[in-house]
Amino acid sequence: MTLDLFGCTSVTAVQWSQIYIRAVHLCYPFLFIVWLSHFIHFIHTSIYYLNHFSYCEILMRLAKSSSLYLMNSNELLIELRKFVLTKSGLRNIDPAHCKVISEYVFQETKNYVSETTIKRFFGFANTLHKFSLFTLNSLSQYIGYSDWDAFTKDKQNSLTVSQSLWQTLKLKAQSITDLSLVTKKNNSGVPFEFTAKRSFYYPDFDYFLKNNYQFATISAQPGHGKSILIAHLVEHFFNADNALYKNDIVLLINPNTINSAIQAGLTLKEWFLKEFNFGSVSELITYFKNNPNNKEGRFVILIDGIDEYLSNSDRFKLFIDFLYSIEENNFLKIMISLRTNTWINLQPVLTGSAFLTKTWYTGVFYDDDTLCNVPPLSTKEILYTLSHIEKKLVTIEDISQPLITQFKTPFWLQVYYKLISETKTLELYDPLLCYELINYFLEQKIFLAKKSTEKIYLLKKISNHISEGNKGLRVAKENVISYISSYPEAYEELLHTGILIQEKRLSTAIPTEVIRFLNDDIYTYFVFIQITEIFEYRSSKAFFEYILQNFSPKTTLRNNILNWSIRFCVNRNEIAVLKNILKLPFSNEEKNNAFDFICCVAKYELSKPNSKFNKQNIGQDFIDLMASGRTMSRLYKETIKNISDNVLNEDIQIMLHIIECNIFLIDIDKVSLGNTMQLLKRNYKRLNELFPINPYDLILYFYNNLINKPTEGGSLEDKIIKLCHQIDRTPPLKNEEITTAEILTYRLVLNTLFAQRNYAECHRFIMAILNKYPNIFYLRNSVFSPFLLIHLGHTYLKLNYYKKAQRIVNFVEKIIKSDYTYYTQFISVGFFVFKASFYNCIHQYEQAVAESDLGLEIAKKDDFKMMEVALYLLKIDSLKHADVSEEVSNVIKELLNFLTHHKISMPDYTNLNGGQFEQTFKVLKSYRK
């Protein structure tokens, strides 16, 4: 096999018989008289042609001298495809249409052409042999011809002698290019019309065409969308209705073109001669340089996807010879698309030639360090494709930031499109999606592929040797050569699929080959796999201690390893072990991110049909986790709602409904609160058994407050006092012994006492809890501890114990500064509420306003409605004392607009100000827009 598509050939005596035979084949077989006349003409003119023209030119002139020049089979098939589409009423086609066309053909002709055959006919499936005469006859009859022969004769007769050589070449090139384009579009992981046009390169390509450059390159790593970019270039510049360069000849050569030639038993040189009747590109250039009047535009050759062929040293040399053989001219343009690891071997050849260096157009976006001129997808391009995939407008707010980063490589959009075709339960804003994309990709390309054992072994060994360099995570090939030598075929497949990238580092004294992963997240996955092997695929406290000790804090690598670990544990329904993330000294940010990710994975696993984490076996461990971190995020709310609607264990469902009620109180959502209370009321008896005091009675108090219904609190207060005495008499216990039922109850009790303004009893209740759990304020793996501290601080303020309240402020600030204390944004806002209230009480109104503003900033962002109302009220009170009437009016307007916009009321439990503010609060509460 030769890649010398375009080597020169001279005419010899031995070839004269071939010339005559090929000339005869250009004519209809049944026209014997015409054959004879051409043969006589051939004899008379042979001496003249021999002296003046090359072998290929003689063939072309003989073909042109006959008015019976034939369309080749490719052109005829393309024509037939166009007529079938028109007859079927389709402008474009996708695989789903093939079944419909099969039915149309049967209805019209009573001949059954299978859906699979139709797919092969339109390029949606591999074609390993020619189409049968039955298929061609049936499709010809469908469009109105008696058979395939009648169709071909009609198309052949439409050609006239007036057609120029340029137009003949253009027609032939168009048939090849159209087929290549169909193949590219069909191989696109995302429907071609969904892909971004990458118009960043349009000015570059236009400049290349118009100026004195011979060839250009598109070089990038696998998965960066080189082939799709080329398809868009061909469509935009040559094929579109309003294309700029309609007269130019464009020839798109891809691996399928080369494979077709191989299957036909031809070298590419022979293929080019067969298709274009020129022995080489050099001959074509010479002909049009000698006959400039026959040139009607540019001849543009685009060569794409030949990296695998150029990996052979002989073919690579032939390709280099082809580049050297190109003569300088102003009409032939060649664009070559290559992976950077191929390009890095080709570039020295170009820079070693003055002519090639001068005529090579690198492009505006060419990066000398990466040898790439295809930049990552822009956010706008990502949103364009996602909007088409989702069939709705997708904005930047709809997507998680890690996913935006991942989608900058176009390849991941293809993986996403395939994944959602199988499951549509993950949303774009869900951080789990990044990991599911990686898992899905590796499953298809590694775990379910041939030589999977060898590939996994290599990837683990390579990932184990990778280190951080000045240009990212990579390893010198020499360090892992022994592993590669053991499984060379598996290694080559990993390179071909793009999972591994092999590059040359030219910045060193001696150029060094280095290996890296296509994506750092894939590398992370194989690092994680090795951790699971160390612990024999069992999660434990030691498992998370290993992560803590061996990976640097606050790094993307440790965050990803933690997330893979969470996914691993939830997949196996090992929920209890996840509590170690909150107990061990991971940073607060890591704990919050981990908590959110637990919610993501739990919600997703519950939707899967064969998951081990399912509605039958969700247990107390999961409830313990959910109660430990009241983050109040959208994700948290959705997870609680989704699981409470599906879990089968009644006790677990009751606990989740209590958590939901807490959420609705903060959201000031009386409708949802009322609906959930109806579900709780059905289990009133069981609530008495599960909780120290029936939480339904406590929630009912707040519900009545929300709907402005007076409540008789005497009996409820008696129950709380009784519970307080029970707690006070309990022997001291360790923090680990506090139950989720207790935490949920104590929160509701303290909020109820505070709302009832029973501050003395509130203080006694906190002291009783402290008596039962003496170290409760030092609990660092649950938000209950800072909640209790802040609540005690508010109680001190109401009891005028300002020095004690000051100590609470100092203590909470100290523990929050300790990065390993677990607290959430909700706790942060609660602390700002407490500090604003504290500064109000000690008459430092300017500081109170400042704390209110800081709290409002977070509350607005995270949609903590109850906290937002409380902070507005505190700010109004502070500004009133500061005697700034205009600012008071502005904040009141903001508060009223907020209430109107969200269609919520202003319940009594949102007002934390002192007695002097009561009248103002009543006026604000009664106001209606």
Side-chain angles (χ1 to χ4, degrees):
M1 170 64 188
T2 176
L3 274 183
D4 185 10
L5 303 181
F6 320 112
C8 294
T9 307
S10 60
V11 181
T12 66
V14 180
Q15 293 170 320
W16 280 108
S17 61
Q18 295 177 357
I19 292 173
Y20 172 68
I21 292 168
R22 292 181 66 82
V24 167
H25 283 181
L26 293 170
C27 306
Y28 287 119
F30 52 83
L31 297 178
F32 177 75
I33 296 172
V34 176
W35 289 1
L36 186 58
S37 67
H38 279 288
F39 176 65
I40 294 168
H41 178 69
F42 169 78
I43 295 297
H44 281 295
T45 58
S46 61
I47 303 300
Y48 173 79
Y49 283 162
L50 178 61
N51 293 331
H52 291 83
F53 300 106
S54 71
Y55 171 49
C56 183
E57 288 175 300
I58 293 169
L59 288 179
M60 184 61 69
R61 286 175 179 274
L62 286 170
K64 285 293 294 174
S65 70
S66 169
S67 61
L68 301 171
Y69 179 71
L70 302 183
M71 296 175 75
N72 67 29
S73 58
N74 276 345
E75 294 160 357
L76 288 167
L77 286 173
I78 288 204
E79 285 295 303
L80 184 57
R81 287 188 189 104
K82 290 177 182 176
F83 277 93
V84 171
L85 278 179
T86 304
K87 172 77 173 179
S88 304
L90 299 169
R91 185 174 180 179
N92 296 302
I93 184 171
D94 60 47
H97 292 128
C98 294
K99 184 177 181 181
V100 177
I101 293 174
S102 173
E103 292 170 356
Y104 286 167
V105 172
F106 181 75
Q107 290 169 8
E108 188 83 20
T109 67
K110 303 307 176 193
N111 294 336
Y112 177 68
V113 180
S114 71
E115 179 187 353
T116 304
T117 301
I118 298 292
K119 283 182 177 178
R120 288 196 298 108
F121 180 71
F122 282 103
F124 292 111
N126 291 331
T127 305
L128 301 176
H129 51 77
K130 293 181 179 179
F131 296 104
S132 69
L133 187 59
F134 172 80
T135 297
L136 297 174
N137 282 341
S138 299
L139 293 174
S140 299
Q141 289 168 23
Y142 174 61
I143 63 172
Y145 290 87
S146 58
D147 54 24
W148 169 246
D149 190 47
F151 174 77
T152 57
K153 286 177 183 176
D154 182 58
K155 293 297 126 189
Q156 299 289 8
N157 291 337
S158 67
L159 291 172
T160 67
V161 285
S162 62
Q163 187 177 37
S164 69
L165 173 61
W166 187 266
Q167 291 302 319
T168 301
L169 292 173
K170 187 173 189 296
L171 182 64
K172 285 177 168 288
Q174 187 65 44
S175 66
I176 297 166
T177 297
D178 283 350
L179 191 59
S180 295
L181 278 175
V182 168
T183 304
K184 284 190 183 304
K185 291 176 182 180
N186 293 343
N187 290 339
S188 174
V190 175
F192 182 72
E193 61 272 19
F194 294 1
T195 58
K197 292 182 172 56
R198 307 303 328 260
S199 54
F200 77 91
Y201 198 75
Y202 288 4
D204 254 8
F205 190 64
D206 196 44
Y207 186 83
F208 162 65
L209 292 176
K210 290 177 178 176
N211 289 276
N212 294 326
Y213 292 100
Q214 210 68 68
F215 73 98
T217 53
I218 291 178
S219 56
Q221 299 292 1
H224 275 64
K226 300 184 295 296
S227 294
I228 295 301
L229 170 58
I230 284 178
H232 280 299
L233 289 174
V234 172
E235 292 275 341
H236 178 79
F237 284 96
F238 308 106
N239 285 7
D241 292 339
N242 57 346
L244 295 173
Y245 306 119
K246 284 282 191 180
N247 288 332
D248 286 358
I249 296 172
V250 57
L251 175 62
L252 176 55
I253 298 172
N254 65 6
N256 279 17
T257 312
I258 298 170
N259 287 334
S260 297
I262 293 171
Q263 288 171 11
L266 302 172
T267 65
L268 290 184
K269 177 179 170 183
E270 291 168 338
W271 169 83
F272 191 76
L273 176 63
K274 173 179 172 289
E275 294 293 341
F276 296 98
N277 290 324
F278 278 100
S280 68
V281 167
S282 294
E283 277 196 26
L284 185 143
I285 293 170
T286 302
Y287 175 81
F288 284 109
K289 285 175 84 170
N290 294 336
N291 301 274
N293 293 334
N294 291 345
K295 179 166 61 70
E296 299 176 23
R298 288 175 290 252
F299 197 118
V300 183
I301 301 175
L302 299 106
I303 305 172
D304 178 44
I306 59 169
D307 300 85
E308 188 176 353
Y309 296 94
L310 296 185
S311 61
N312 178 289
S313 58
D314 292 334
R315 295 169 185 162
F316 187 77
K317 184 178 183 305
L318 287 168
F319 188 74
I320 291 170
D321 290 342
F322 154 63
L323 291 177
Y324 280 129
S325 74
I326 299 170
E327 298 177 41
E328 190 168 355
N329 67 89
N330 62 356
F331 72 92
L332 182 80
K333 301 285 183 176
I334 299 174
M335 171 164 277
I336 311 164
S337 168
L338 297 164
R339 293 181 176 186
T340 50
N341 61 319
T342 307
W343 174 235
I344 202 169
N345 294 321
L346 185 61
Q347 190 195 18
V349 175
L350 303 183
T351 53
S353 163
F355 166 70
L356 292 176
T357 302
K358 183 182 79 169
T359 59
W360 165 41
Y361 181 67
T362 56
V364 172
F365 291 89
Y366 187 75
D367 186 326
D368 287 315
D369 289 333
T370 62
L371 304 180
C372 171
N373 62 349
V374 181
L377 286 174
S378 67
T379 301
K380 185 178 179 181
E381 289 170 328
I382 293 169
L383 296 177
Y384 173 88
T385 300
L386 288 175
S387 295
H388 281 80
I389 292 173
E390 299 292 327
K391 296 180 172 60
K392 64 180 182 182
L393 181 65
V394 176
T395 65
I396 189 69
E397 289 77 21
D398 300 323
I399 315 173
S400 69
Q401 188 53 51
L403 197 60
I404 285 283
T405 303
Q406 197 166 2
F407 282 156
K408 285 184 180 295
T409 304
F411 161 77
W412 288 111
L413 285 165
Q414 300 177 22
V415 179
Y416 172 70
Y417 183 74
K418 290 176 183 175
L419 177 63
I420 63 167
S421 67
E422 298 180 15
T423 173
K424 189 64 179 95
T425 54
L426 283 171
E427 299 294 339
L428 288 165
Y429 61 78
D430 195 329
L432 174 61
L433 184 53
C434 294
Y435 300 87
E436 291 301 324
L437 287 174
I438 293 166
N439 182 71
Y440 180 81
F441 167 65
L442 292 175
E443 212 171 65
Q444 303 298 315
K445 297 294 182 182
I446 301 294
F447 300 114
L448 300 178
K450 293 179 181 178
K451 302 185 182 70
S452 60
T453 304
E454 294 91 333
K455 289 175 183 177
I456 292 168
Y457 172 81
L458 280 174
L459 291 169
K460 287 192 294 188
K461 290 298 181 184
I462 290 170
S463 65
N464 199 39
H465 284 77
I466 276 180
S467 59
E468 182 76 37
N470 59 347
K471 290 188 179 178
L473 296 162
R474 55 182 65 195
V475 60
K477 187 177 179 180
E478 61 190 36
N479 294 341
V480 290
I481 195 69
S482 59
Y483 309 120
I484 293 170
S485 300
S486 301
Y487 305 107
E489 289 182 14
Y491 177 71
E492 287 300 321
E493 286 183 25
L494 289 171
L495 290 177
H496 180 66
T497 53
I499 292 169
L500 290 178
I501 308 294
Q502 185 173 295
E503 299 172 324
K504 281 186 181 174
R505 189 169 52 193
L506 302 174
S507 56
T508 53
I510 301 174
T512 307
E513 284 188 298
V514 295
I515 301 168
R516 65 177 178 85
F517 281 82
L518 165 71
N519 183 284
D520 285 351
D521 293 330
I522 295 176
Y523 155 73
T524 306
Y525 176 82
F526 284 97
V527 172
F528 166 72
I529 286 293
Q530 291 177 84
I531 298 172
T532 62
E533 288 178 351
I534 292 170
F535 291 92
E536 299 179 339
Y537 302 100
R538 294 186 188 127
S539 56
S540 61
K541 182 180 180 181
F543 185 97
F544 288 101
E545 286 175 334
Y546 180 89
I547 296 170
L548 191 67
Q549 292 161 9
N550 289 276
F551 299 95
S552 301
K554 298 182 181 180
T555 59
T556 302
L557 178 59
R558 187 156 98 172
N559 179 65
N560 287 336
I561 294 290
L562 266 177
N563 286 347
W564 281 117
S565 303
I566 289 166
R567 184 179 176 276
F568 177 75
C569 292
V570 179
N571 283 349
R572 296 157 62 91
N573 196 28
E574 296 172 354
I575 305 301
V577 75
L578 292 174
K579 296 177 185 178
N580 289 295
I581 299 175
L582 303 182
K583 292 177 180 177
L584 291 170
F586 289 101
S587 72
N588 184 58
E589 184 181 355
E590 288 172 328
K591 290 176 180 178
N592 273 297
N593 290 339
F595 186 87
D596 283 344
F597 201 72
I598 291 168
C599 290
C600 293
V601 182
K603 190 156 67 82
Y604 178 59
E605 285 297 310
L606 195 64
S607 70
K608 288 164 63 176
N610 300 314
S611 173
K612 291 183 179 179
F613 180 82
N614 55 56
K615 58 178 72 175
Q616 284 92 0
N617 58 25
I618 294 174
Q620 188 61 45
D621 288 324
F622 183 75
I623 299 300
D624 293 344
L625 269 173
M626 293 297 101
S628 295
R630 187 168 63 174
T631 64
M632 288 300 297
S633 65
R634 179 177 72 170
L635 176 61
Y636 177 74
K637 294 173 188 178
E638 286 177 357
T639 304
I640 296 295
K641 173 66 177 169
N642 186 268
I643 294 179
S644 69
D645 286 347
N646 289 284
V647 68
L648 296 182
N649 184 311
E650 196 173 77
D651 288 353
I652 298 301
Q653 190 175 56
I654 287 170
M655 294 275 194
L656 288 166
H657 285 329
I658 298 296
I659 293 173
E660 280 187 286
C661 288
N662 267 312
I663 291 169
F664 299 140
L665 286 172
I666 293 163
D667 280 343
I668 316 179
D669 185 351
K670 56 188 174 187
V671 175
S672 298
L673 181 62
N675 293 336
T676 306
M677 286 176 68
Q678 289 298 320
L679 299 174
L680 281 174
K681 195 172 183 180
R682 297 172 192 170
N683 298 287
Y684 189 85
K685 185 178 178 182
R686 183 59 180 156
L687 284 166
N688 280 325
E689 296 168 356
L690 289 173
F691 293 89
I693 187 173
N694 196 312
Y696 180 84
D697 297 333
L698 300 167
I699 294 166
L700 180 61
Y701 172 82
F702 286 101
Y703 180 72
N704 289 336
N705 191 295
L706 267 174
I707 62 174
N708 293 316
K709 182 180 177 181
T711 303
E712 175 55 51
S715 60
L716 181 59
E717 188 175 340
D718 291 341
K719 291 178 183 177
I720 291 172
I721 291 170
K722 183 180 178 183
L723 174 61
C724 184
H725 291 157
Q726 289 174 358
I727 297 169
D728 205 27
R729 290 194 295 269
T730 307
L733 300 174
K734 294 179 180 179
N735 287 342
E736 293 78 17
E737 296 178 77
I738 192 168
T739 66
T740 297
E742 285 181 283
I743 289 174
L744 294 175
T745 303
Y746 296 164
R747 279 177 179 166
L748 282 169
V749 167
L750 290 171
N751 286 331
T752 303
L753 290 171
F754 205 83
Q756 289 178 332
R757 293 177 171 76
N758 193 344
Y759 306 124
E761 189 58 41
C762 190
H763 181 260
R764 278 192 289 273
F765 199 90
I766 294 172
M767 292 301 108
I769 295 171
L770 194 58
N771 182 62
K772 184 175 181 179
Y773 299 102
N775 296 316
I776 195 67
F777 288 155
Y778 298 96
L779 183 68
R780 293 291 175 265
N781 63 311
S782 170
V783 294
F784 182 62
S785 176
F787 164 83
L788 203 60
L789 276 165
I790 290 168
H791 215 90
L792 178 60
H794 278 295
T795 305
Y796 283 150
L797 290 178
K798 296 303 180 184
L799 296 173
N800 299 322
Y801 298 156
Y802 297 145
K803 287 185 179 180
K804 290 184 177 182
Q806 176 72 69
R807 285 200 290 271
I808 297 289
V809 171
N810 296 339
F811 184 64
V812 173
E813 280 185 337
K814 182 181 177 181
I815 63 172
I816 283 179
K817 283 178 182 176
S818 169
D819 199 30
Y820 303 118
T821 299
Y822 177 46
Y823 63 95
T824 65
Q825 289 290 70
F826 186 76
I827 292 296
S828 294
V829 175
F831 189 42
F832 283 119
V833 170
F834 169 50
K835 286 196 287 184
S837 187
F838 169 72
Y839 288 119
N840 238 346
C841 290
I842 61 173
H843 313 305
Q844 293 185 18
Y845 302 116
E846 190 175 323
Q847 187 63 37
V849 170
E851 299 293 344
S852 298
D853 286 337
L854 290 170
L856 278 168
E857 187 179 337
I858 303 173
K860 288 175 181 177
K861 182 181 175 183
D862 292 307
D863 197 26
F864 302 150
K865 294 185 181 69
M866 182 192 82
M867 294 297 201
E868 201 164 341
V869 173
L871 285 161
Y872 273 126
L873 294 173
L874 283 164
K875 188 174 179 180
I876 291 167
D877 192 25
S878 303
L879 292 170
K880 279 184 69 180
H881 282 94
D883 197 22
V884 279
S885 303
E886 187 176 345
E887 289 188 43
V888 171
S889 297
N890 290 337
V891 178
I892 289 173
K893 286 176 185 176
E894 285 182 49
L895 172 59
L896 295 175
N897 287 336
F898 169 77
L899 296 172
T900 304
H901 175 72
H902 291 284
K903 298 178 182 177
I904 57 175
S905 61
M906 193 161 50
D908 291 344
Y909 64 80
T910 59
N911 179 27
L912 302 178
N913 291 308
Q916 295 179 0
F917 193 74
E918 280 302 309
Q919 185 59 35
T920 304
F921 179 69
K922 287 177 181 177
V923 172
L924 291 173
K925 187 176 178 180
S926 63
Y927 180 78
R928 297 287 182 273
K929 270 199 169 186

